[in-house]
Amino acid sequence: MKIPLRDNAVIAVIGGGPSGAAFAIRLLRKATEIGKKIDVIIFEGKDFKIHYNQCVGVLSPPLMDILEKELLVELPPSLYKRSIHGYRLHGGNKEVLLFDRGTSGMTITVRRVEFDRFLLDTALNLGARLIRSRVINIEFFQPEEKNGEVRIYSESGYTKADCVVGAFGLDSTLLSVLENVTKKSKKPYKRPKKMLKTFITKFHADPVFLRKYVGNIIYAYLKPPEIPRIEFAAISPKGDHIIINIAGEKVTSLDMDMFLSLKDVKEHLPSFNPSDLSYFEGRFPTSPSKNPYGDRYVCVGDVTGWMRPFKGKGINVAITTGMRAADAIIEGGIGNDSFSKYEESCKELLDDYIYGAFVRFLCIKASRLFVGRMIQMSLINPIIYDALFDSVSGHRPYKEIIKSLIKPELASKEIISFIKKLLRGKRKMGEIKIRNLARHDIEAIVKIDEKITGRPHEAYWTGKISKYLASEPGACLAAEIEGKVVGFVLGDIRGWEYAVPTCGWLDVIGVDVEYQGMGIGKKLIEALFSFFKKSGIENVVTMVNWNEADLIDYFRSQGFERGEYINMIKKL
Ligand SMILES: Cc1cc2nc3c(=O)[nH]c(=O)nc-3n(C[C@H](O)[C@H](O)[C@H](O)COP(=O)(O)OP(=O)(O)OC[C@H]3O[C@@H](n4cnc5c(N)ncnc54)[C@H](O)[C@@H]3O)c2cc1C
């Protein structure tokens, strides 16, 4: 229905968090511009001097631009607690430090209570009225009764309004009230079907500790293998404290206990007594609500569930939806017609949902394969590095990130091989057969190396393999699956080289990128060790570049320890 906005209309906003405050600010500014008088009443149950909305308080780009250019508010510098320069992402047993390459805006952390108070005060200064009371019920009337007015019942009485704005976050009572009062309408409201549970805790830390052990970095963890219920967790630095949050569909406070006891996490925290900590529980929506508007009502912020399902940027969504709902009222009134245009104006948020859900699915269901592999690839591929940074920081929509990975030549090769690997993972994989390597395998090995390094080195491999086959054929092995060579290892037995007594040398090992993570390397190494043992060898030696942490970890996982020799070089 079309319902024009009358002069002196009363708009009741339930909730004075970021979405409700942004709505009120924008509506009052726009009304002044067109010379219309509107009475905006904000119901807020909390006193932001004492109570606060649980949040980490990370403001991600382009929020600062939106606040300044669209909402016309400038955050006072005293609200900035710390600027964030990068993220250390842990996932799939790998980690990478991700820095913004200067293309995005600023990420800062704030104290959420100060941020909420500032926005609410701005709305009040523009003329909104505050009723510090919790709403307990809403009543809608048909157009023929009471002019279709809306009645809002709060703990301090009732108020008549022309339209009600649902900005109450995920407050269960109000979600049920809204579902109940709209259930007989053609398009009843239904709360977001999926939500993530989250726990949050806080550590006070002095500036020296913060600088030394945390810095201006957010430490993000995707599916830590030790705590399977955690989908993601983060350690975020603020002005004089550190916030830890964990999230997952079924996380419990026990998962927080376990997370805080991880060695890697403890390194970023001051020493603490677990019984002194307070945990707070909260929720994020991870799927859209149904019908978040109708005649004389519209929802904004978390109530819509129009949040990214991964790295939610909930405050950005709250402020954007608040502003767009206000624009719809000014341009088209307070009926369903006008609010369907509001939904259209938020299309980019809704459109990104499916892409975000896909990325979340990959990260959760194939964490080791997907995240670990992406982290590995990001070390050599700047497109993948940027894609990871943007996914973790939320700097670009998921749709754009996925497109950037599919378009460019270099990235698409990596992704296609990854997708092939995923698909292969679903098929029943043939048996891995280890056999002696032969000269006719050289072509396959050149291809495996080309996939890893990006360049063919045919002459090098022909010479090298021939040499190893001539010296110790039993230490040259190939791994085959369904007749295809998918990995190889070259070794030999040498005595008194660098004064090391006779031992087995593992010179080079390679596994086709599409078959990595399936235990092929392990099988090759076991077969090589068994050959060395049969030849009476007691020690196996290999050389690794000290900076290749992944490779060192890999050899450690195969039982290698650091040897006694170091490599010395003099530049001539
Ligand atoms: C643990 C946690 C950490 C988060 N960290 C971040 C982050 O770092 N960055 C980010 O962008 N997003 C973050 N989010 C998401 C973000 O907090 C929300 O998406 C955002 O606050 C939504 O704003 P909102 O205005 O819709 O709802 P809210 O912020 O929830 O505000 C709703 C307001 O309504 C009031 N209210 C509720 N019921 C009633 C009632 N019956 N009567 C009157 N008033 C009522 C509440 O008191 C509250 O002030 C986090 C969320 C959680 C749970």
Side-chain angles (χ1 to χ4, degrees):
M1 194 200 276
K2 254 198 166 87
I3 310 176
L5 181 69
R6 68 177 179 92
D7 223 351
N8 293 314
V10 179
I11 309 286
V13 184
I14 308 176
S19 62
F23 169 85
I25 294 170
R26 179 82 159 195
L27 189 72
L28 288 162
R29 285 203 202 285
K30 290 269 169 180
T32 310
E33 269 173 40
I34 58 167
K36 207 160 204 144
K37 204 162 164 357
I38 302 179
D39 187 8
V40 176
I41 302 174
I42 302 176
F43 290 86
E44 173 52 62
K46 288 180 184 138
D47 176 353
F48 293 145
K49 287 194 189 84
I50 315 163
H51 308 116
Y52 45 92
N53 290 315
Q54 290 305 327
C55 184
V56 178
V58 178
L59 304 187
S60 312
L63 188 63
M64 304 308 271
D65 271 358
I66 294 175
L67 288 174
E68 213 175 301
K69 296 185 183 138
E70 295 184 52
L71 202 59
L72 308 179
V73 297
E74 204 177 315
L75 284 193
S78 59
L79 252 61
Y80 294 31
K81 296 304 167 208
R82 191 170 288 267
S83 54
I84 297 299
H85 301 158
Y87 294 78
R88 181 168 278 282
L89 173 66
H90 298 249
N93 287 325
K94 302 259 179 306
E95 58 175 273
V96 61
L97 187 57
L98 298 165
F99 281 111
D100 182 5
R101 292 167 10 120
T103 47
S104 321
M106 197 168 39
T107 297
I108 60 161
T109 54
V110 293
R111 274 194 72 204
R112 180 58 196 271
V113 67
E114 291 178 359
F115 179 74
D116 283 2
R117 200 187 314 149
F118 168 75
L119 280 188
L120 185 57
D121 284 348
T122 307
L124 300 182
N125 290 337
L126 287 167
R129 286 192 289 144
L130 175 66
I131 299 187
R132 199 178 305 287
S133 178
R134 282 185 58 77
V135 170
I136 45 176
N137 203 3
I138 310 168
E139 205 178 6
F140 289 102
F141 288 92
Q142 294 303 320
E144 55 283 5
E145 318 163 90
K146 311 272 175 206
N147 283 331
E149 74 183 26
V150 190
R151 289 181 181 176
I152 292 109
Y153 297 85
S154 77
E155 284 161 348
S156 63
Y158 96 100
T159 304
K160 295 177 195 169
D162 292 77
C163 176
V164 63
V165 179
F168 43 79
L170 295 178
D171 182 86
S172 321
T173 315
L174 255 284
L175 286 171
S176 302
V177 166
L178 191 60
E179 283 173 343
N180 214 16
V181 293
T182 59
K183 82 173 170 224
K184 290 208 178 105
S185 70
K186 274 194 211 136
K187 291 182 163 181
Y189 170 79
K190 274 264 165 243
R191 74 185 74 191
K193 215 166 153 188
K194 294 186 191 151
M195 299 196 195
L196 275 194
K197 259 171 82 185
T198 162
F199 286 86
I200 190 166
T201 190
K202 185 170 163 178
F203 287 82
H204 284 279
D206 64 56
V208 177
F209 182 93
L210 274 163
R211 201 170 47 241
K212 205 162 162 195
Y213 297 104
V214 192
N216 291 43
I217 301 285
I218 291 180
Y219 299 80
Y221 296 77
L222 283 177
K223 282 295 265 181
E226 305 85 344
I227 319 170
R229 282 189 298 237
I230 297 186
E231 277 194 20
F232 70 86
I235 304 173
S236 310
K238 306 286 276 280
D240 59 359
H241 62 272
I242 301 162
I243 298 245
I244 315 286
N245 71 308
I246 61 166
E249 270 172 15
K250 294 180 183 150
V251 284
T252 68
S253 59
L254 290 178
D255 297 317
M256 178 64 107
D257 294 345
M258 280 173 72
F259 185 69
L260 295 177
S261 69
L262 294 181
K263 183 172 164 279
D264 189 65
V265 171
K266 274 178 150 173
E267 278 170 13
H268 304 295
L269 301 178
S271 55
F272 64 96
N273 179 350
S275 54
D276 293 342
L277 295 176
S278 298
Y279 295 170
F280 300 93
E281 198 186 329
R283 286 182 300 168
F284 306 103
T286 52
S287 69
S289 65
K290 275 196 187 144
N291 308 318
Y293 58 84
D295 286 339
R296 295 184 186 275
Y297 73 91
V298 63
C299 298
V300 291
D302 276 6
V303 194
T304 61
W306 292 348
M307 219 160 119
R308 295 153 58 102
F310 213 50
K311 179 65 196 180
K313 291 183 28 167
I315 298 175
N316 295 38
V317 172
I319 288 177
T320 306
T321 50
M323 289 192 315
R324 306 247 165 104
D327 291 351
I329 291 184
I330 293 289
E331 282 156 27
I334 51 177
N336 184 63
D337 266 26
S338 156
F339 295 136
S340 64
K341 294 200 180 99
Y342 153 62
E343 181 172 7
E344 250 175 71
S345 71
C346 295
K347 199 168 170 292
E348 89 270 7
L349 298 174
L350 280 159
D351 277 359
D352 210 35
Y353 171 73
I354 193 78
Y355 296 93
F358 175 65
V359 173
R360 177 168 168 236
F361 172 81
L362 285 178
C363 291
I364 305 311
K365 301 288 177 213
S367 140
R368 203 169 70 83
L369 263 183
F370 180 68
V371 184
R373 183 94 189 98
M374 287 288 277
I375 290 179
Q376 219 174 359
M377 294 192 301
S378 73
L379 300 174
I380 49 165
N381 185 329
I383 296 164
I384 295 177
Y385 182 94
D386 286 350
L388 266 189
F389 174 79
D390 290 333
S391 309
V392 175
S393 63
H395 282 202
R396 268 194 300 166
Y398 283 109
K399 189 175 176 177
E400 263 182 43
I401 297 171
I402 291 175
K403 269 191 183 165
S404 78
L405 286 173
I406 288 168
K407 262 190 196 158
E409 247 295 290
L410 186 59
S412 60
K413 258 195 203 167
E414 302 272 21
I415 296 302
I416 288 165
S417 92
F418 169 70
I419 290 171
K420 273 190 191 164
K421 193 168 154 188
L422 262 189
L423 294 176
R424 183 167 295 115
K426 287 193 178 235
R427 263 190 6 225
K428 199 171 175 322
M429 193 183 68
E431 202 189 328
I432 304 167
K433 199 173 127 197
I434 307 292
R435 60 162 172 80
N436 281 355
L437 199 132
R439 279 191 66 81
H440 62 252
D441 294 321
I442 291 177
E443 197 186 329
I445 291 172
V446 170
K447 281 200 183 124
I448 291 175
D449 170 66
E450 190 180 345
K451 277 193 196 167
I452 298 170
T453 62
R455 289 201 197 98
H457 303 102
E458 203 169 339
Y460 169 79
W461 285 107
T462 308
K464 185 165 183 120
I465 293 170
S466 307
K467 194 176 124 213
Y468 273 79
L469 281 175
S471 99
E472 202 62 73
C476 303
L477 304 168
E480 233 182 51
I481 293 181
E482 290 162 357
K484 181 180 174 189
V485 176
V486 293
F488 66 96
V489 64
L490 298 179
D492 66 349
I493 296 174
R494 275 179 256 161
W496 303 109
E497 188 151 350
Y498 310 111
V500 180
T502 300
C503 59
W505 282 78
L506 190 165
D507 191 64
V508 55
I509 180 162
V511 175
D512 188 321
V513 286
E514 288 169 33
Y515 291 82
Q516 286 176 4
M518 296 178 182
I520 294 167
K522 189 165 181 261
K523 284 215 151 106
L524 281 164
I525 288 180
E526 278 167 6
L528 181 67
F529 287 0
S530 138
F531 166 77
F532 285 148
K533 263 195 187 155
K534 276 188 208 144
S535 312
I537 296 295
E538 288 178 2
N539 291 308
V540 185
V541 180
T542 192
M543 294 248 252
V544 188
N545 183 327
W546 188 239
N547 296 314
E548 295 209 45
D550 275 359
L551 208 52
I552 293 174
D553 280 352
Y554 176 71
F555 281 116
R556 281 215 170 108
S557 72
Q558 303 303 320
F560 282 82
E561 287 166 12
R562 192 180 164 176
E564 289 169 358
Y565 289 77
I566 58 160
N567 178 6
M568 295 180 79
I569 296 181
K570 177 172 164 36
K571 220 177 170 68
L572 297 176

